Amino acid sequence: MIAYFAYLVLALSLAAPLLVRVDGRYVAVATSLALVALTAAAGTPVGVLVALVALALALDWRVGSFGLALSFAAVAAALAVYVYYAAQPVVYGLIALALATAAVYGLLAMTRGRENVEGAVKYLVFSGVGKVLIVVGYFAAVAGWPWGLYLAVLGFMFELGIAPFHAWVVDAYALGSPGGAASLAAFSKVTALFVLLAIFKSLKAPGEVGLVALVVALVSMLVANVAGLTAKTLGRVMAYSSIAHMSYALAAVSLVWWLGEPEKRPSLFGAPVSAADLAILVVVLEGLASGLAKAGVFGYLRAAFSDLLPPRRSVLNVLNVFSLLGLPPLLGFWPKLLLVLLILSYPNVQLAVFLVAWVVVNSALATPYYLRAIRWLMEAPGPVGDNVTSSYTAFAAIALGVAVPLVAYLLL
């Protein structure tokens, strides 16, 4: 199946000269439909969801020649998803990371304004540093060097925008083109999370690595949610939201790396599961909830950049923001609940009380800035601007949120 992804990348590369005469959105639509078929045949439903986001963005945005960049970004995310679920070598996931960086950089600078270029360059520099650290750290860990995973985790902090390496996220979301910001959330972040899961699944980390990463993730949550209270534009609210959500995802993986498997397996909807599987589910749902919702919010904007108040109302994106807030039964509710269940599966009562309280307090801290974003979306001066992307992502937030317990019940 990896060969099919390679053929698709080769076909897109050879099709580049055609963009002189063919609108790139048609290339993006064709690529998205091909990815839907490819990921469905590979048995990766998450990949299908990612491909449909690319299809919605291609239908809504006149991306021109940047349709090729949108296509490459979607292929990178779908490849990373497949690498994880099919237990393919991690090196293919690292290739997907590199492909996503180049594509999303182009999309962030899509409208070629000074602000777009500034946001795109910051993404390219910091994300590039993160990828170098991830690659060096991973191969060092495989070779048996004890500091390798420390380096890889540091790289993921850059890549995911974990505090204190988070400043680039704010500028990329606020100053990059809205289409680029949507791609950053839906493709680049998802690619990085699934590469993190592939490494988590393939390497056993020393407990000290998990402890350090957990402490950083907890601090990052607080920094993001406190800073979000001061955000005055939609792009900056979404940026701090992204930092917080990536911190929740890193916290789940770090906890299991630190403490390992508890003596008594946690229960999910009445069925016993491993702590590692529960942490993986937290990361997958967190990535989907954040990526889908932010793709919907940025995908409906018609502006050069996102560092502004919404110019048009959006009814459906209110649902997306509620999902980011974690309102049940929307999709964003489940990763926070599952993170709490993961914490409670460990027998250390004092630690569990502290961590659960930390998650709850941070969720409460985020409420004011999400409600502020909802007010902006509802009270914008222009007419309702909902489109294919906001419709698809809002529907997915509802459908997946309702389906999570049903699917878990059937599978477990």
Side-chain angles (χ1 to χ4, degrees):
M1 190 62 71
I2 291 290
Y4 290 107
F5 284 101
Y7 293 146
L8 188 54
V9 170
L10 178 61
L12 288 172
S13 302
L14 294 175
L18 298 177
L19 296 179
V20 176
R21 294 185 175 274
V22 179
D23 191 337
R25 72 188 302 188
Y26 299 119
V27 174
V29 167
T31 303
S32 302
L33 293 174
L35 279 176
V36 169
L38 185 59
T39 51
T44 54
V46 175
V48 174
L49 291 170
V50 169
L52 289 174
V53 172
L55 178 61
L57 288 170
L59 292 173
D60 283 332
W61 280 82
R62 297 188 179 278
V63 290
S65 60
F66 288 96
L68 192 65
L70 177 59
S71 300
F72 278 126
V75 170
L79 174 59
V81 171
Y82 175 74
V83 165
Y84 167 69
Y85 281 113
Q88 295 294 311
V90 174
V91 66
Y92 293 120
L94 299 177
I95 293 171
L97 268 179
L99 185 61
T101 300
V104 172
Y105 166 73
L107 290 166
L108 285 169
M110 187 164 55
T111 55
R112 301 182 178 90
R114 181 181 61 83
E115 295 88 353
N116 296 154
V117 174
E118 180 183 345
V121 168
K122 287 183 178 179
Y123 163 74
L124 181 65
V125 171
F126 284 91
S127 182
V129 170
K131 288 175 178 63
V132 170
L133 292 173
I134 291 169
V135 171
V136 173
Y138 170 71
F139 284 111
V142 170
W145 290 71
W147 51 265
L149 269 177
Y150 283 104
L151 206 58
V153 169
L154 179 63
F156 279 109
M157 290 175 189
F158 275 94
E159 180 67 27
L160 297 174
I162 304 296
F165 310 111
H166 65 289
W168 71 266
V169 179
V170 180
D171 288 332
Y173 274 108
L175 302 180
S177 73
S183 300
L184 173 58
F187 306 129
S188 180
K189 298 286 188 181
V190 168
T191 302
L193 285 176
F194 274 94
V195 173
L196 172 63
L197 288 180
I199 293 175
F200 172 67
K201 194 175 182 179
S202 63
L203 294 178
K204 182 174 178 59
E208 296 80 6
V209 174
L211 177 58
V212 170
L214 179 62
V215 170
V216 172
L218 294 176
V219 172
S220 181
M221 286 180 210
L222 184 63
V223 170
N225 287 319
V226 171
L229 296 174
T230 68
K232 301 299 182 184
T233 63
L234 189 61
R236 293 180 186 276
V237 166
M238 292 298 107
Y240 290 118
S241 168
S242 176
I243 297 165
H245 281 89
M246 296 305 101
S247 301
Y248 291 125
L250 181 61
V253 169
S254 303
L255 185 64
V256 178
W257 260 341
W258 177 33
L259 298 177
E261 290 289 336
E263 293 183 4
K264 183 179 179 181
R265 301 181 76 185
S267 177
L268 180 62
F269 304 113
V273 295
S274 69
D277 286 340
L278 194 53
I280 288 167
L281 190 55
V282 171
V283 174
V284 171
L285 294 180
E286 197 69 79
L288 281 177
S290 179
L292 287 170
K294 292 178 178 69
V297 171
F298 286 116
Y300 106 103
L301 290 176
R302 290 293 181 269
F305 52 90
S306 307
D307 198 16
L308 43 72
L309 297 180
R312 296 185 297 171
R313 293 192 300 276
S314 176
V315 176
L316 294 174
N317 275 318
V318 169
L319 292 173
N320 281 324
V321 177
F322 273 129
S323 179
L324 292 172
L325 176 59
L327 184 72
L330 299 174
L331 178 60
F333 164 74
W334 293 106
K336 291 184 176 66
L337 176 63
L338 296 180
L339 178 57
V340 169
L341 293 178
L342 175 64
I343 293 168
L344 294 176
S345 67
Y346 290 96
N348 189 323
V349 176
Q350 291 84 359
L351 177 65
V353 169
F354 169 76
L355 291 178
V356 169
W358 192 270
V359 171
V360 171
V361 167
N362 273 276
S363 297
L365 276 174
T367 302
Y369 67 79
Y370 283 129
L371 293 180
R372 188 185 310 141
I374 289 170
R375 190 186 77 238
W376 291 338
L377 292 168
M378 293 296 294
E379 297 178 355
V384 174
D386 287 311
N387 55 13
V388 176
T389 306
S390 61
S391 302
Y392 164 65
T393 53
F395 171 78
I398 297 171
L400 293 175
V402 172
V404 164
L406 298 177
V407 172
Y409 176 79
L410 292 174
L411 293 180
L412 297 175

